[in-house]
Amino acid sequence: MKLILLGPPGAGKGTQAESLAKRRGLIQLSTGDMLRAAVKAGTEIGRKAEAVMKSGGLVSDEIVIGIISDRIAEPDCANGFILDGFPRTLKQAAALDELLDSKGTILDAVIELRVDDSALLSRIEKRAADTVAAGGTIRADDNADALKTRLMAYYRETSPLVGYYFAQGKLRTLDGMAPIETVAAKIDELLGTP
Ligand code: AMP
């Protein structure tokens, strides 16, 4: 099964992708996690991405498309994957369609998590507080300033994907304001029995 989780920063894509991946034996592919790992490792991609990520902007299509096409080609993705944070632009979505087409496969569904904008800042603040409480390091972009830029990037670049996937008949929209377990149950309901 090949899925996309779509939604603004703080919508719960990462949380849902992680638990869904476990429940269904799928691989979670988070471009944000991959880029943060590249920044930490100090690779060339990491050096190119670091400042733009910190500000809340989008890393270039070329970089993220390259990362995803390499990762999807790995054998563990053959059984299926959940894309979390990719695609984020129409160009990325078109590149993904081409990539899957070249492998003779298609997307099963795009799950959009709808969340009130007013809830996003408190969710991001909570994530930062939980990370600190667990002894971890706060993400460089989990702050009010970067969130504004991330939200603008979402509305300008990513939200057109809602229409793109609706037109493809792939879009399934869920209420992302519901408790985590309820959203997870709704996802299972719409995907059907594994
Ligand atoms: P995330 O962990 O999904 O919130 O992503 C964190 C940051 O990584 C984003 O704000 C972007 O700077 C960058 N990023 C992650 N995925 C993408 C993508 N598909 N396209 C462009 N930038 C991305």
Side-chain angles (χ1 to χ4, degrees):
M1 189 170 259
K2 294 167 187 76
L3 303 168
I4 291 176
L5 284 186
L6 189 63
K13 300 184 297 295
T15 305
Q16 293 299 337
E18 192 181 343
S19 74
L20 181 61
K22 281 193 193 124
R23 293 201 298 285
R24 304 239 167 189
L26 302 170
I27 301 290
Q28 177 188 4
L29 300 179
S30 158
T31 39
D33 285 350
M34 293 175 204
L35 288 165
R36 278 184 289 278
V39 169
K40 204 167 167 196
T43 64
E44 194 188 336
I45 285 177
R47 283 196 300 277
K48 282 186 188 155
E50 187 169 14
V52 63
M53 287 176 76
K54 195 170 178 188
S55 72
L58 291 185
V59 173
S60 76
D61 287 332
E62 194 194 350
I63 289 181
V64 288
I65 291 167
I67 292 179
I68 282 294
S69 58
D70 288 350
R71 187 64 188 86
I72 284 178
E74 286 178 34
D76 63 344
C77 287
N79 275 343
F81 48 78
I82 305 165
L83 289 163
D84 150 22
F86 182 95
R88 261 175 157 99
T89 65
L90 286 168
K91 195 166 171 198
Q92 293 175 22
L96 179 66
D97 281 347
E98 264 178 43
L99 198 64
L100 294 179
D101 196 42
S102 72
K103 293 181 191 299
T105 184
I106 51 162
L107 277 173
D108 293 274
V110 177
I111 301 170
E112 181 202 7
L113 299 178
R114 280 256 172 103
V115 182
D116 296 346
D117 288 339
S118 55
L120 297 176
L121 182 58
S122 53
R123 283 183 169 210
I124 298 274
E125 283 170 347
K126 184 174 181 308
R127 173 161 70 195
D130 289 349
T131 304
V132 172
T137 311
I138 300 180
R139 281 174 48 165
D141 60 352
D142 268 354
N143 58 69
D145 276 350
L147 177 64
K148 262 185 224 152
T149 311
R150 289 160 70 196
L151 212 47
M152 287 301 290
Y154 181 77
Y155 282 113
R156 193 178 295 135
E157 306 278 357
T158 312
S159 63
L161 299 186
V162 171
Y164 181 88
Y165 288 119
F166 175 78
Q168 286 192 358
K170 297 274 159 71
L171 190 74
R172 306 284 179 272
T173 300
L174 291 180
D175 174 14
M177 294 300 289
I180 291 172
E181 300 72 32
T182 310
V183 177
K186 292 270 180 209
I187 291 177
D188 279 338
E189 201 179 299
L190 73 82
L191 294 179
T193 325

